[in-house]
Amino acid sequence: MTTDTPGRLLQLLSLLQTPREWPGGELSDRLGVSRRTVRRDIDRLRELGYPVRAARGAEGGYRLVAGKALPPLVLDDEEAVAIAVGLRAGAGHAVEGIEEASVRALAKLEQVLPGRLRHRVNVLQAATVPLTSGDGPTIATETLTVMASAVAGNERLRFGYRSGDGSESRRLTEPYRLVSTGRRWYLVAFDLERDDWRTFRVDRVIGAPLATGARFTPRELPSGSAAEFLRKRMRRQQRTYEFTVTFAASAESVAARLPSLYGTPEPLDDGSCVLRGATGDAPEWLAFRLAGADCDFTVGGPPELVATVAEMGGRFTRAASPVADPPDEGDVGARAAR
């Protein structure tokens, strides 16, 4: 029997989060209290924002239902480990659309995860090899979660960094956002020693980043969003080219399948759209990503991309064509004898 009210409420909430209906008598027995106390505790949960529905009658009971907002969840050990492992997979293997959310959720969970459960998560991840992975460099999830926590808490971040030319330096930054391009993670931050905004490839961070504990007031980013800021910086740093592609699909469906760094599709009608953008990606990689839109498309330019798509299309067509079986050796010998 749980005698303290907060502990009993948490135990009751844990039971109600199991997807079933709980008769009042069964809850009373589980908690070791009277049915009247159960009813009072249900009212307390409702006051805290948990939508608990009560059904009358002999078969009636209590059930936690969906509300207007997601209430706090109570997880047992196995559930917490399962969620942490799943979030690490989502953060580390660039499932487009959920990478940043996975990192933010993982940072919140690991902040309160007991040491014994964190050890279980680390052991399970170390013993598991994913069958598929992205083509980008591997990044420790601890690096991402430290950065995400610093972003969320407006906390200055210090780390070692290796530039593209191989030079190493120490950076003290005010982190703004983490941005995933599908292949790489980038940190958009204000570099205090250089007194300017910078983008950092997270895979080039040396060792573990350190959250200093010093708080700061967020500055206004020069561009509207971190993704737009990163896009402009990448265009300046890389040799880019402009491209135009028309898709036989709605703008919404194409936007859902292509990285936002390529730009925003513009609708032509209900069943077609056009994408005008610029990128530093090799034409072969861009052609591969365009094919991922899963619909017919026409490349309007540049000529290098048109030629690449034509060459890849011919290669795939030849690969799908049936190849005649080689003649049997006996048949060859018989024809030779004749």
Side-chain angles (χ1 to χ4, degrees):
M1 174 180 176
T2 304
T3 57
D4 63 297
T5 301
R8 191 176 65 248
L9 286 176
L10 288 175
Q11 186 178 354
L12 172 60
L13 182 58
S14 180
L15 293 172
L16 290 175
Q17 285 178 345
T18 303
R20 54 160 291 191
E21 197 160 272
W22 290 87
E26 186 172 351
L27 290 176
S28 175
D29 294 339
R30 288 287 191 105
L31 300 174
V33 296
S34 66
R35 294 194 180 193
R36 182 178 180 181
T37 300
V38 170
R39 289 194 295 271
R40 286 203 303 266
D41 288 347
I42 292 292
D43 290 337
R44 291 190 179 97
L45 290 179
R46 288 169 175 161
E47 292 173 358
L48 293 172
Y50 292 93
V52 182
R53 184 180 64 191
R56 298 183 179 275
E59 301 298 327
Y62 300 98
R63 177 190 293 270
L64 191 66
V65 298
K68 296 182 179 179
L70 179 67
L73 300 177
V74 177
L75 305 172
D76 60 28
D77 288 2
E78 287 72 20
E79 292 167 343
V81 169
I83 291 176
V85 171
L87 289 173
R88 284 189 175 191
H93 298 288
V95 181
E96 289 187 9
I98 69 167
E99 314 99 319
E100 185 181 357
S102 296
V103 171
R104 285 190 280 109
L106 183 60
K108 292 178 182 179
L109 180 59
E110 293 200 342
Q111 182 178 359
V112 297
L113 205 62
R116 56 187 172 81
L117 297 187
R118 189 177 293 109
H119 174 71
R120 287 175 57 182
V121 172
N122 292 335
V123 168
L124 181 57
Q125 187 175 39
T128 305
V129 178
L131 181 61
T132 59
S133 63
D135 63 346
T138 301
I139 301 172
T141 53
E142 291 79 4
T143 298
L144 291 171
T145 54
V146 169
M147 289 184 169
S149 297
V151 169
N154 297 329
E155 189 174 353
R156 287 179 177 173
L157 190 70
R158 188 184 297 277
F159 53 87
Y161 190 71
R162 182 180 295 106
S163 300
D165 59 5
S167 61
E168 298 183 0
S169 59
R170 296 290 296 175
R171 304 298 183 99
L172 178 62
T173 66
E174 294 178 352
Y176 184 79
R177 288 290 186 277
L178 279 167
V179 181
S180 171
T181 64
R183 289 182 293 165
R184 294 190 177 97
W185 282 96
Y186 291 84
L187 174 68
V188 176
F190 189 85
D191 192 317
L192 292 170
E193 295 177 356
R194 289 156 179 79
D195 194 30
D196 195 9
W197 288 93
R198 291 287 192 271
T199 59
F200 301 95
R201 273 179 48 174
V202 178
D203 61 286
R204 290 179 177 169
V205 170
I206 303 172
L210 173 65
T212 64
R215 306 289 177 177
F216 65 89
T217 301
R219 304 169 189 260
E220 184 176 353
L221 193 66
S223 298
S225 68
E228 180 64 24
F229 179 81
L230 175 61
R231 184 185 296 116
K232 291 180 178 179
R233 283 297 176 102
M234 293 177 70
R235 287 176 181 173
R236 290 209 302 262
Q237 295 171 1
Q238 298 176 346
R239 181 183 176 185
T240 63
Y241 59 91
E242 296 182 351
F243 62 89
T244 303
V245 184
T246 302
F247 296 90
S250 67
E252 292 78 9
S253 63
V254 172
R257 291 179 175 272
L258 294 181
S260 60
L261 287 173
Y262 288 146
T264 302
E266 302 173 6
L268 297 175
D269 52 44
D270 292 341
S272 64
C273 64
V274 62
L275 177 63
R276 299 181 179 90
T279 182
D281 287 343
E284 294 79 8
W285 175 251
L286 178 57
F288 174 77
R289 296 310 299 264
L290 293 175
D294 197 26
C295 65
D296 291 342
F297 63 91
T298 303
V299 179
E304 296 84 356
L305 182 59
V306 174
T308 298
V309 170
E311 181 183 352
M312 291 180 65
R315 188 179 304 132
F316 287 136
T317 300
R318 292 190 296 272
S321 300
V323 179
D325 294 332
D328 184 77
E329 291 183 0
D331 293 339
V332 174
R335 287 197 297 270
R338 291 198 295 271

